[in-house]
Amino acid sequence: MSAFATVRLPGKTATHPQVRLGRRLPLSLVVAGPGLPPSRFAAVTCPAAPAGASNQGFQVMSGPLAGRTVLVTRPTHQAAALAQAIHAAGGTPFAFPALAVEAVLQDELSVPLARLAEADIAIFISPNAAQFGMAAIRAGGALPDAIVVFAVGPGTARALQAQGVGDVIMPDGQDSEALLALPQLQEVAGKQVTIVRGVGGRALLAETLRQRGARVGFMECYRRLRPQADAAPLLARWQAGGIDAVTVASAETLHNLAALLGEAGRPLLAGTPLFAPHEKIAGAARRLGIAQVIATPGGDDGLVDGLVNWFRNHP
């Protein structure tokens, strides 16, 4: 039996602001992580490749990332869009999910859902918060009609819109500091606020809103986990010079990746350009000893723009 497993995605047009493809190209994604045996690994392939083919089966493309293989470490359910954008720019995405996400049981959310029903403001911290939070909210009812909804960044706002939530307020930046600078969150004394997030997380947002007089509670609707994944195929590819860049979307993902790679992968990770969509994540990478760290604009488009600009200047 092949060591690879294919998960088919719906057909989509692969596009990127700096690249135009000559035809519509449906993509498929081969993934490793939760739900696959540890012996199976992940790569991104084109449907034209034979079943069980690795990412080398991806159709050869021209574009600013042509000839470059980019490691995609997003959770399995979030990797496709970035993989498609990399492919649209001519590159080959190689998916190795270094973060897994699972929903908190509905029974554990009865108290936060009751508080949410009385809340004036709901703040969704991430796309996962939008996805898992809205699933839990719908299972127990609906968002209150008069609630004001905030999102930390455009990715979270898009995820909420995909869940049918309109009139979402978001900052220009993509972190708690940018959200707290919004004028709508300056005068919140007496307001009840529910922060929808994963288990744990930064305290800044809640602490600042409490200092401004708000009553703040949490709805922690998902957990972040380190996947049980076999890194041996990735290490073999990397040691053969087959990984040109690494992308990470959180410091937790980065630390999980380092742990999954182990000592054998430490010099490979340290010596490969790493792209992160926030300076805080980039700082964590530098502290880990990675030599070339590039902080990009936020989101998948920002990561791909950063990759394109880097490799244009470092042929």
Side-chain angles (χ1 to χ4, degrees), residues 155-170:
T156 305
R158 286 192 296 270
L160 284 168
Q161 289 163 359
Q163 297 287 332
V165 181
D167 299 322
V168 177
I169 301 170
M170 67 175 184

Side-chain angles (χ1 to χ4, degrees), residues 5-214:
T6 300
V7 178
R8 183 71 58 179
L9 297 174
K12 294 185 179 180
T13 302
T15 59
H16 183 267
Q18 298 187 9
V19 181
R20 185 179 299 275
L21 293 180
R23 63 188 183 90
R24 297 177 67 85
L25 179 65
L27 301 178
S28 61
L29 186 66
V30 182
V31 294
L36 292 178
S39 61
R40 296 194 174 193
F41 188 60
V44 177
T45 64
C46 165
S54 74
N55 56 327
Q56 295 195 15
F58 227 126
Q59 292 181 349
V60 176
M61 299 291 292
S62 61
L65 295 182
R68 307 292 186 178
T69 298
V70 180
L71 188 65
V72 176
T73 59
R74 285 192 186 280
T76 299
H77 69 287
Q78 294 178 328
L82 179 56
Q84 289 168 342
I86 290 166
H87 181 63
T92 300
F94 199 100
F96 183 78
L99 185 71
V101 180
E102 68 175 18
V104 169
L105 294 176
Q106 188 75 15
D107 290 348
E108 299 177 40
L109 298 175
S110 56
V111 172
L113 283 168
R115 290 194 189 119
L116 178 69
E118 304 296 326
D120 303 292
I121 293 170
I123 300 174
F124 291 80
I125 294 299
S126 67
N128 282 319
Q131 177 184 340
F132 291 98
M134 286 307 304
I137 290 164
R138 288 205 176 94
L143 280 172
D145 290 337
I147 201 166
V148 181
V149 178
F150 292 80
V152 180
T156 305
R158 286 192 296 270
L160 284 168
Q161 289 163 359
Q163 297 287 332
V165 181
D167 299 322
V168 177
I169 301 170
M170 67 175 184
D172 290 334
Q174 300 195 60
D175 54 23
S176 297
E177 289 84 350
L179 190 78
L180 287 165
L182 287 172
Q184 296 93 330
L185 291 178
Q186 303 309 303
E187 302 294 335
V188 292
K191 299 288 187 181
Q192 184 161 321
V193 179
T194 293
I195 298 175
V196 185
R197 67 178 192 177
V199 175
R202 297 178 69 197
L204 174 68
L205 181 58
E207 288 178 353
T208 303
L209 291 174
R210 285 172 180 145
Q211 290 169 3
R212 295 175 183 176

